[in-house]
Amino acid sequence: MIVRGAVLREMGLPAPYAASRPLRIEEVELAPPGPGELLVRIRAAGLCHSDLSVIDGSRPRVMPMLIGHEAAGEVVASEAADFAPGDVVVCAFVPSCGTCGPCAEGRPALCEPGATANTAGTLLSGTRRLTDVHHHLGVSGFADHAVISAHSAVKIDPSLPPEIAALFGCAVMTGVGAVVNTAQVRAGRSAAIFGLGGVGLSALLGAVLVGAHPIVAVDVVPSKLELALELGATYALDAADGVDQVRAATSGGADYAFETVGSAKVLEQAYAATRRGGTTVTVGLPHPSQAFSVPAVSLVAEERTVKGSYLGSSIPSRDIPRYVALYRAGRLPVDRLLTATVGLDDLNEAFDDLAAGTSIRQVLLF
Ligand SMILES: NC(=O)c1ccc[n+]([C@@H]2O[C@H](COP(=O)([O-])OP(=O)(O)OC[C@H]3O[C@@H](n4cnc5c(N)ncnc54)[C@H](O)[C@@H]3O)[C@@H](O)[C@H]2O)c1
Ligand SMILES: [Zn+2]
Ligand SMILES: [Zn+2]
């Protein structure tokens, strides 16, 4: 079949994207699903900074690519035993084979064949169903239809509005998972969150959910600080005020600090904001050339920990339905992250908005 979607042929075109138009809306041939795969009619797909990082070249990927990785839709054809037409699914941006070393250990976010396929721009099977164009993280959600591995799909409550459902695929799974799975924050422990985009605000919602206290939210955009306070942050601080303010607000340093910006410099600030014995969780994805440094002895003599968190250290089939249920119960108000819905032809302008910090999650709606 022919699908209409947003294809990136060259990374690093100059902003503003409204002028350089890195995303071309093209018609692409999509082959039918192979064994273990699904044809999904995409209903909604969120715009994540990781998409922007492919566009601006700070997260290099094989070109050309039909991008988008935070998507929800309806199965229209299934070659997998556990799925049938009519199922509503959220796509996870790492397919998990279920049998490799990390999968066997219960860490599907680190699936080895999944990582190989994502790097190669193929589906988990190692094949491409898009003709002459690569898949993005096994999803390629900025198109009206996608073929995905069943190992990328999680069935959800079909009555969820699609623009809300999509958010669970990346922002919510990543941000809430960083708190609940990676850090395993307990009630009464303090948390500082650096960066209040879709991922950072999801981490904030996760911190509120588990009863972290106090919670310090840090950003450079005043409207994001205001929203953080509405969502339950105890303090909201402008990054320009410095790390000392975060340390003061947490009586000498946070038990947990989360970096959700994608900057090694901010990661150093997050580390410096933790207390002795504290844990720094790194979620943002800086350009591969960026390194960060800490005084090595502080890891030992102050028993500090730095933990990476990919896909929120999640088990998508376990966590997404749980987070949807918590949203339904009013405990995880992820709808507050939705800034706007956009159409395919608006994507370049919408990525300008994301880069400028004027939006949180914009969702492409079909
Ligand atoms: N680990 C994962 O699995 C995973 C998944 C999704 C996204 N990411 C990464 O997480 C990061 C955040 O993604 P997002 O979609 O929320 O992005 P976003 O652009 O919506 O949010 C980033 C936020 O950081 C703020 N910021 C910029 N400079 C800052 C500074 N110096 N101090 C404090 N805040 C600052 C911005 O104002 C913005 O609010 C990106 O690097 C993205 O690639 C990682
Ligand atoms: Zn993402
Ligand atoms: Zn695996």
Side-chain angles (χ1 to χ4, degrees):
M1 67 186 290
I2 299 289
V3 301
R4 204 166 161 264
V7 178
L8 181 69
R9 297 196 170 270
E10 189 185 347
M11 294 176 285
L13 289 181
Y17 303 127
S20 60
R21 307 208 79 75
L23 296 176
R24 305 290 162 110
I25 308 310
E26 298 184 6
E27 295 195 333
V28 182
E29 174 84 34
L30 179 68
E37 293 173 356
L38 314 171
L39 174 64
V40 177
R41 180 163 80 91
I42 302 291
R43 302 287 310 280
L47 280 64
C48 172
H49 203 109
S50 299
D51 302 310
L52 180 59
S53 296
V54 180
I55 295 169
D56 71 18
S58 52
R59 188 108 179 108
R61 293 275 167 199
V62 45
M63 293 286 107
M65 181 170 273
L66 201 163
I67 69 166
H69 66 279
E70 183 182 86
E74 182 185 340
V75 174
V76 290
S78 171
E79 296 297 330
D82 299 342
F83 292 85
D87 286 345
V88 174
V89 296
V90 166
C91 303
F93 65 86
V94 180
S96 47
C97 73
T99 53
C100 72
C103 281
E105 279 180 13
R107 303 181 75 183
L110 303 181
C111 176
E112 287 163 357
T116 301
N118 280 359
T119 302
T122 68
L123 299 184
L124 184 62
S125 59
T127 49
R128 280 193 270 160
R129 302 294 169 205
L130 292 163
T131 303
D132 300 329
V133 173
H134 294 89
H135 296 263
H136 186 202
L137 302 176
V139 179
S140 290
F142 295 160
D144 50 64
H145 288 77
V147 170
I148 65 172
S149 166
H151 293 282
S152 298
V154 176
K155 263 184 258 188
I156 58 149
D157 172 354
S159 65
L160 208 59
E163 64 275 24
I164 301 296
L167 304 175
F168 289 88
C170 180
V172 176
M173 184 157 52
T174 300
V176 179
V179 172
V180 171
N181 295 322
T182 314
Q184 300 190 9
V185 177
R186 282 180 286 152
R189 309 301 296 276
S190 56
I193 298 161
F194 290 76
L196 304 172
V199 174
L201 288 171
S202 293
L204 170 65
L205 294 178
V208 172
L209 177 73
V210 302
H213 188 83
I215 302 171
V216 185
V218 185
D219 205 287
V220 291
V221 178
S223 62
K224 302 204 179 190
L225 297 175
E226 279 165 33
L227 179 58
L229 290 172
E230 286 175 26
L231 294 178
T234 322
Y235 306 100
L237 301 175
D238 192 310
D241 293 345
V243 170
D244 286 348
Q245 295 290 328
V246 182
R247 295 182 62 84
T250 51
S251 310
D255 292 310
Y256 297 93
F258 298 85
E259 195 281 351
T260 54
V261 176
S263 154
K265 188 169 153 284
V266 176
L267 179 56
E268 287 176 8
Q269 293 168 352
Y271 185 84
T274 57
R275 66 173 353 113
R276 291 161 61 83
T279 297
T280 306
V281 178
T282 151
V283 182
L285 290 160
H287 188 281
S289 66
Q290 288 191 28
F292 91 113
S293 73
V294 296
V297 70
S298 66
L299 291 164
V300 181
E302 299 168 11
E303 290 202 353
R304 289 167 188 272
T305 303
V306 179
K307 291 185 100 171
S309 179
Y310 196 53
L311 195 84
S313 313
S314 301
I315 299 177
S317 59
R318 176 196 68 184
D319 294 345
I320 289 178
R322 281 185 186 171
Y323 299 157
V324 169
L326 285 162
Y327 165 69
R328 290 282 195 208
R331 306 271 305 275
L332 206 54
V334 303
D335 54 314
R336 300 294 305 276
L337 310 184
L338 180 66
T339 318
T341 57
V342 300
L344 254 187
D345 297 312
D346 312 322
L347 280 180
N348 288 299
E349 289 79 2
F351 277 108
D352 283 329
D353 286 349
L354 181 60
T358 47
S359 63
I360 301 169
R361 269 315 195 247
Q362 303 168 91
V363 174
L364 166 63
L365 208 53
F366 287 97

